[in-house]
Amino acid sequence: MRPLLRRVATAPSGRRSKWLVLAAWLILVVALGPLAGKLGDVEDTSANAFLPRGAESAQVNTELEKFRDDTVMPAVVVYTGEGVGERVAAADRTSFAEFAAKGERVSPPAPSDDGRARLVVVPLSSDDDVTDKVDELREIAGANAPPGVDVEVGGPAASLTDQVAVFDTLDSTLMIATGSVVAVLLLITYRSPILWLFPLLSVGFAAVLTQVGTYALAKYADLPVDPQSSGVLMVLVFGVGTDYALLLIARYREELHRQEDRHQAMGTALRRSGPAILASAGTIAAGLACLAFADINSSRSLGLVGAVGVVCALLAMITVLPALLVVTGRWVFWPFVPRHGTPARKERTVWSRIGAAVARRPRWSWMMSVAVTGVLALSAVGINMGLTQSEMFQDKPESVVAQEKISAHYPSGASDPAKIVTNTGQTAQVRSAASGVDGVARVESGDRSPSGELTQLSVVLKDTPDSQAAKGTVDALRDAVHAVDGADALVGGTTAQTLDTQRAADRDLRTVIPIVLLVVLGVLIWLLRSLVAPLLLLATVVLSFLAALGTSNVLFESVLGFAGVDWSIPLMGFVFLVALGIDYNIFLMHRVKEEAARLGHSRGVLEGLTSTGGVITSAGIVLAATFAVFAGLPLVTMAQMGVIVGVGVLLDTFLVRTVLVPALALDLGRWFWWPGRLFHDLRDEEADAERAAVTATAPAPPREPA
């Protein structure tokens, strides 16, 4: 079995098999390429796609689908300004009526108590293209608004439209920005006008396979896919795929200096770097897959879709990239072509000096590193968790402006009331119970389901729908209606959804984080055949995450001006940083283990650091830059995730992997590998060295007289 696996693994470097590998990929891309463009067809854009599974608010959304063939989603037109009453009293409601859902009516302009605002509710059918309807409403409202009167369209329909507008351009924006960033960094890294094209071409193959695989799994295996996970997917494939390309190419370049035949050089590079790349991909994929245990559907989607992308990136980088490099030969490295028999060009100056400095005072080095990361982590204390709807965008869309004006002139919940679904027979009791809740402005009658069994009620809250006070009202409202015997009442709506998501995010943190740590620890133990080293490596990555969270919090508050941190960020940031951060430790320690077996522990640590310093630093910069692309997106949640992952990767690259881990390894000596075989081998070597030293210093026995 092992020889068979070795032949399969080195097939891309074979004289004839490399052509078979390239042909297989070309056939695959041509045959399945058209499916790659259909990923958007299987994306779930419903409200439940971003809610916790089984949450009461999600159950309400499901129950509301029973009420009519076309579910109503209201748009709210709000007019504000001096003298708005006289000017809007005769608003052209007939122009809005054509947009109303079948059987629904446009409300008359509702005046505010201060007389400075008018509000018109237009019920839209969610079976139609809501975004197009909202865009047309905005055009008509703006054209018919009297001079001096401001008009905005808000409400759930407009909020959905503004969010869709963000995701519509997300994929193309991210692809262009990420591709450009990676191309520039590869040009700087390789200083070759040719070589940088091969990693990008291979990532292109991986992207096609990823989209096809995700589409097939979503369509036929119920893999959850939403617009957010679809956008993150391509960035992850670009970042991880480029990392693997950098590692493989660096090892291939080394072997070209040692071996004359490029096929043998690539075969050796695959055999020696393959386990580290495989362990890295396995760790990231397994860590992301652990999000399947999360309650929030969008978190589950991001984790599972990301795992598919990592596996596809791995397949492309260990097959099509080696085949392309072997086919083209050494000239792709021009003008720095590696020649057989010449010394390998390593960036030894910087990394050997760093290694020597750490080796002189290893304990001081790791203690100072821990102190620095600890200080950065302290900034995470007192972090402001949670974002309101108006804080979710870097630039306020029209729906957010409309909500702010509604809150200023009406009960804040008027544009987005809470929803109650109850058994029809207990409607009066449920209405009475809801009306008695403090924080409820009024309870409005709703529709019955076609069967007549269910009735929905609209509950206007006194406070802004995403405020803490409104969440408290929803809790009290649920307690009140749940107490009505036989009603089976459920409370949903935007406020309830926010509350359910917040609580699920807290549960997910307590559930998913221990699972991720155990999975990553298992992979490290398998790779390093040690217990001490994996535990220390995992501890350094967790410390790095806390430092990244603290540093990012300072950036959010002082530089970017965010009001807080979204509830999903700690879990998403932890999973991504533990999975991606351990990546570089795997690259480093796999090489250190190889060199320690050959040169001894201390020399092996320094040689591993020197040999991998340049490539891991380049990989970290590329990965951090790809995620930094998110910082420019209008959605605050994605911008925050990009910042925290980018900062964490840079900390791992320049501090944890460069100083902290080597210093710990040098300070512990061979105990770093306890209780594995390398620990015992190094003990035998030390004993041999001690015996040799004793023999060399012992006085020579006296000669016998002749």
Side-chain angles (χ1 to χ4, degrees):
M1 180 61 70
R2 182 173 294 181
L4 176 61
L5 292 176
R6 181 173 296 180
R7 285 197 297 271
V8 172
T10 57
S13 63
R15 297 182 185 277
R16 290 185 294 273
S17 55
K18 64 178 182 287
W19 297 107
L20 295 176
V21 170
L22 290 177
W25 271 97
L26 289 173
I27 293 171
L28 183 70
V29 169
V30 171
L32 301 180
L35 295 178
K38 293 186 176 182
L39 183 56
D41 298 343
V42 295
E43 290 179 358
D44 184 2
T45 57
S46 67
N48 284 359
F50 299 90
L51 294 178
R53 50 183 173 180
E56 185 171 338
S57 56
Q59 295 178 45
V60 170
N61 290 337
T62 303
E63 292 297 319
L64 289 176
E65 294 176 1
K66 301 177 181 178
F67 279 75
R68 60 191 63 207
D69 294 334
D70 53 339
T71 304
V72 170
M73 181 176 288
V76 181
V77 184
V78 56
Y79 299 87
T80 55
E82 295 293 338
V84 68
E86 296 78 10
R87 297 179 182 181
V88 184
D92 189 5
R93 291 171 55 211
T94 58
S95 60
F96 295 155
E98 63 182 84
F99 296 102
K102 184 178 179 181
E104 300 290 336
R105 294 181 302 170
V106 177
S107 71
S112 62
D113 291 339
D114 59 10
R116 301 180 60 185
R118 290 292 186 273
L119 185 148
V120 177
V121 179
V122 184
L124 306 179
S125 171
S126 61
D127 286 350
D128 297 330
D129 194 334
V130 173
T131 58
D132 288 344
K133 296 285 188 182
V134 170
D135 289 339
E136 292 182 50
L137 272 176
R138 284 172 170 169
E139 290 181 7
I140 292 174
N144 294 339
V149 173
D150 296 328
V151 58
E152 285 84 22
V153 178
S159 179
L160 175 65
T161 299
D162 291 335
Q163 290 185 32
V164 169
V166 171
F167 288 111
D168 270 348
T169 58
L170 181 63
D171 289 346
S172 57
T173 301
L174 286 177
M175 286 288 287
I176 294 172
T178 305
S180 302
V181 167
V182 172
V184 170
L185 291 175
L186 287 175
L187 273 169
I188 296 173
T189 300
Y190 290 128
R191 292 170 290 174
S192 168
I194 305 166
L195 184 58
W196 67 276
L197 290 169
F198 289 83
L200 276 185
L201 182 60
S202 302
V203 168
F205 279 101
V208 172
L209 182 62
T210 299
Q211 290 185 324
V212 172
T214 306
Y215 169 79
L217 291 172
K219 188 172 181 63
Y220 302 108
D222 295 328
L223 178 72
V225 181
D226 60 55
Q228 177 176 288
S229 61
S230 177
V232 174
L233 177 62
M234 287 299 99
V235 174
L236 184 64
V237 171
F238 262 88
V240 172
T242 306
D243 275 6
Y244 299 156
L246 288 167
L247 186 68
L248 179 62
I249 291 174
R251 198 61 185 256
Y252 177 49
R253 190 202 298 265
E254 285 185 35
E255 297 303 326
L256 286 175
H257 284 281
R258 300 190 182 107
Q259 303 185 44
E260 186 173 2
D261 188 288
R262 66 180 187 275
H263 299 87
Q264 294 179 1
M266 179 57 76
T268 303
L270 282 170
R271 286 194 300 273
R272 293 185 175 176
S273 63
I277 295 176
L278 180 62
S280 168
T283 303
I284 298 174
L288 293 177
C290 289
L291 285 171
F293 294 96
D295 282 339
I296 299 177
N297 288 325
S298 57
S299 298
R300 295 173 57 241
S301 172
L302 183 57
L304 296 173
V305 168
V308 173
V310 171
V311 172
C312 293
L314 168 70
L315 291 175
M317 293 305 146
I318 63 174
T319 55
V320 68
L321 177 61
L324 287 171
L325 292 172
V326 173
V327 165
T328 50
R330 297 173 183 260
W331 66 271
V332 297
F333 291 91
W334 185 88
F336 305 104
V337 179
R339 305 293 183 186
H340 174 238
T342 60
R345 294 184 71 254
K346 295 181 180 179
E347 301 294 336
R348 287 187 175 274
T349 304
V350 174
W351 303 109
S352 60
R353 288 178 179 175
I354 292 175
V358 171
R360 282 194 295 271
R361 302 182 68 183
R363 185 164 301 174
W364 183 89
S365 297
W366 70 256
M367 291 179 67
M368 288 301 298
S369 300
V370 170
V372 170
T373 51
V375 169
L376 294 176
L378 287 176
S379 300
V381 177
I383 190 170
N384 183 25
M385 295 299 302
L387 295 171
T388 64
Q389 185 67 29
S390 62
E391 296 165 349
M392 291 294 292
F393 299 90
Q394 299 207 54
D395 297 318
K396 289 183 181 179
E398 186 173 333
S399 59
V400 172
V401 176
Q403 178 59 50
E404 290 177 345
K405 292 190 174 181
I406 292 171
S407 299
H409 299 283
Y410 296 87
S412 296
S415 67
D416 195 2
K419 300 291 185 182
I420 298 178
V421 176
T422 180
N423 292 332
T424 300
Q426 286 73 33
T427 301
Q429 297 95 312
V430 170
R431 182 201 299 272
S432 176
S435 300
V437 173
D438 188 25
V440 171
R442 62 180 182 272
V443 181
E444 300 174 347
S445 300
D447 298 326
R448 289 189 180 183
S449 63
S451 65
E453 296 178 354
L454 300 176
T455 298
Q456 65 163 309
L457 301 173
S458 294
V459 182
V460 177
L461 308 180
K462 294 178 181 178
D463 301 292
T464 306
D466 49 16
S467 66
Q468 195 61 41
K471 295 173 188 175
T473 302
V474 167
D475 267 335
L477 188 61
R478 283 175 168 172
D479 291 339
V481 301
H482 290 170
V484 178
D485 291 336
D488 296 329
L490 300 171
V491 178
T494 301
T495 306
Q497 292 172 7
T498 303
L499 182 63
D500 291 341
T501 301
Q502 173 182 328
R503 289 174 174 167
D506 186 54
R507 289 195 303 270
D508 288 347
L509 275 173
R510 297 193 303 268
T511 302
V512 176
I513 285 179
I515 297 174
V516 172
L517 292 175
L518 287 174
V519 168
V520 173
L521 180 63
V523 174
L524 289 174
I525 291 174
W526 168 80
L527 177 69
L528 300 177
R529 302 296 194 272
S530 168
L531 186 58
V532 173
L535 288 172
L536 288 175
L537 293 178
L538 202 59
T540 62
V541 174
V542 172
L543 181 62
S544 175
F545 161 72
L546 295 175
L549 184 62
T551 305
S552 299
N553 186 43
V554 173
L555 293 175
F556 296 156
E557 293 180 352
S558 305
V559 179
L560 299 174
F562 297 152
V565 178
D566 187 73
W567 285 102
S568 65
I569 291 302
L571 179 61
M572 294 294 100
F574 179 84
V575 173
F576 271 90
L577 282 180
V578 168
L580 296 173
I582 209 71
D583 204 24
Y584 302 121
N585 283 331
I586 287 175
F587 292 162
L588 170 65
M589 297 315 299
H590 182 266
R591 186 62 180 265
V592 166
K593 183 182 177 185
E594 178 183 331
E595 298 296 343
R598 186 172 64 92
L599 302 173
H601 178 72
S602 297
R603 288 183 59 193
V605 171
L606 298 179
E607 180 64 23
L609 176 62
T610 302
S611 300
T612 62
V615 63
I616 293 180
T617 301
S618 299
I621 293 174
V622 168
L623 189 61
T626 54
F627 273 92
V629 171
F630 285 129
L633 295 179
L635 204 61
V636 170
T637 302
M638 300 194 74
Q640 289 182 339
M641 186 171 70
V643 170
I644 192 171
V645 174
V647 169
V649 168
L650 291 177
L651 282 173
D652 277 324
T653 303
F654 289 101
L655 182 61
V656 174
R657 189 268 315 165
T658 304
V659 178
L660 179 55
V661 171
L664 285 170
L666 289 169
D667 194 22
L668 286 173
R670 65 184 180 88
W671 287 95
F672 190 75
W673 305 104
W674 185 87
R677 179 179 177 180
L678 185 57
F679 166 76
H680 298 286
D681 291 344
L682 292 172
R683 180 177 59 185
D684 294 340
E685 289 181 6
E686 289 178 1
D688 292 342
E690 289 176 2
R691 285 193 294 269
V694 170
T695 303
T697 57
R703 291 185 178 182
E704 296 182 2

